Amino acid sequence: MDFSPLTDALASKSYGKIADICDELMLKGAAEMEGVPFEEEWPFAIHLLAHIYVNDTNSARFLWKSIPAAVKERQPEVVAAWGIGQRLWTRDYAAVHEAIRAFDWSQQIQPLVAAFSEVYTKRMFQLLLSAYSTISIQDTALFLGMNEDDATSYVLQQGWVVDPDSRMLIVKKQPVKTEQKLDSSKLQRLTEYVFHLEH
């Protein structure tokens, strides 16, 4: 099976495209190799992590269920990748970082895991930003997967403020930019109104 599109995407760090590439290659492989098992050479860990990277936990879950038990037993990296997916599936957001750090990832997968960790930290920051007006330093560190000092430094760079007495972080909401969009029906009604006034 030709994995060159996948290796090219990994080399160019186009992690957002890898899930689609893997899905397409898997379908092509299943059609071309009908009756011939290709599961042994399939990069299930990369495939799972690619779905997780694009926040498609449903697809990762269905892929996990389709992986043969023998592959799960022989490839601990596949199990570790699904460990991240499980934490996301059960919405145990703080444990995602623990699952990432709990395994010694292979050289091929390590950059994808590091990129996911960075994207996930940004997602969690956005979640905290939208959900809280104040939050403890300890909880922030837990959600961002950092120690308390690093988490404090990270959010201070984003404009948050620390209340030293209560050890709470005051969330600085980002200004919401709203663009007024004029749809064609409103424009049509305005035109008819102006026309009616003039005639």
Side-chain angles (χ1 to χ4, degrees):
M1 179 173 263
D2 179 25
F3 289 113
S4 60
L6 176 59
T7 54
D8 292 346
L10 284 168
S12 66
K13 299 185 180 198
S14 302
Y15 302 127
K17 298 177 182 177
I18 292 176
D20 290 336
I21 291 169
C22 286
D23 289 343
E24 191 174 313
L25 286 173
M26 184 177 256
L27 289 173
K28 186 188 284 186
E32 289 175 0
M33 305 174 88
E34 192 172 332
V36 178
F38 64 92
E39 287 90 4
E40 289 303 316
E41 64 182 55
W42 188 257
F44 284 110
I46 292 173
H47 198 168
L48 278 168
L49 287 167
H51 283 299
I52 291 167
Y53 180 85
V54 295
N55 207 19
D56 187 0
T57 325
N58 283 331
S59 294
R61 183 170 165 253
F62 289 124
L63 176 63
W64 171 254
K65 287 183 175 191
S66 72
I67 297 173
V71 172
K72 292 176 185 176
E73 290 171 11
R74 282 193 298 278
Q75 297 181 20
E77 199 162 45
V78 173
V79 177
W82 177 239
I84 296 169
Q86 279 181 308
R87 288 356 177 257
L88 290 168
W89 183 258
T90 58
R91 293 179 178 18
D92 188 358
Y93 299 123
V96 170
H97 292 287
E98 292 171 22
I100 290 169
R101 289 189 293 263
F103 191 79
D104 186 21
W105 302 96
S106 67
Q107 275 191 321
Q108 184 183 25
I109 292 181
Q110 211 292 318
L112 174 58
V113 173
F116 167 72
S117 181
E118 186 178 318
V119 165
Y120 183 72
T121 298
K122 289 178 182 174
R123 276 188 214 147
M124 287 298 95
F125 177 76
Q126 290 302 318
L127 179 68
L128 295 177
L129 192 63
S130 65
Y132 291 92
S133 58
T134 58
I135 184 171
S136 72
I137 293 173
Q138 182 181 6
D139 288 343
T140 303
L142 196 64
F143 274 102
L144 297 180
M146 303 175 182
N147 63 44
E148 290 185 11
D149 292 336
D150 290 345
T152 303
S153 175
Y154 183 85
V155 297
L156 287 176
Q157 291 173 3
Q158 308 299 322
W160 292 20
V161 179
V162 178
D163 179 1
D165 296 332
S166 64
R167 293 199 33 88
M168 297 290 283
L169 292 164
I170 301 166
V171 177
K172 180 184 177 200
K173 301 286 184 186
Q174 303 294 331
V176 179
K177 296 179 183 176
T178 56
E179 294 180 21
Q180 187 174 6
K181 295 182 179 178
L182 194 63
D183 65 351
S184 59
S185 66
K186 288 181 181 176
L187 187 59
Q188 179 65 35
R189 282 187 292 167
L190 181 62
T191 304
E192 289 172 3
Y193 182 74
V194 171
F195 179 78
H196 177 73
L197 289 175
E198 289 180 354
H199 293 96

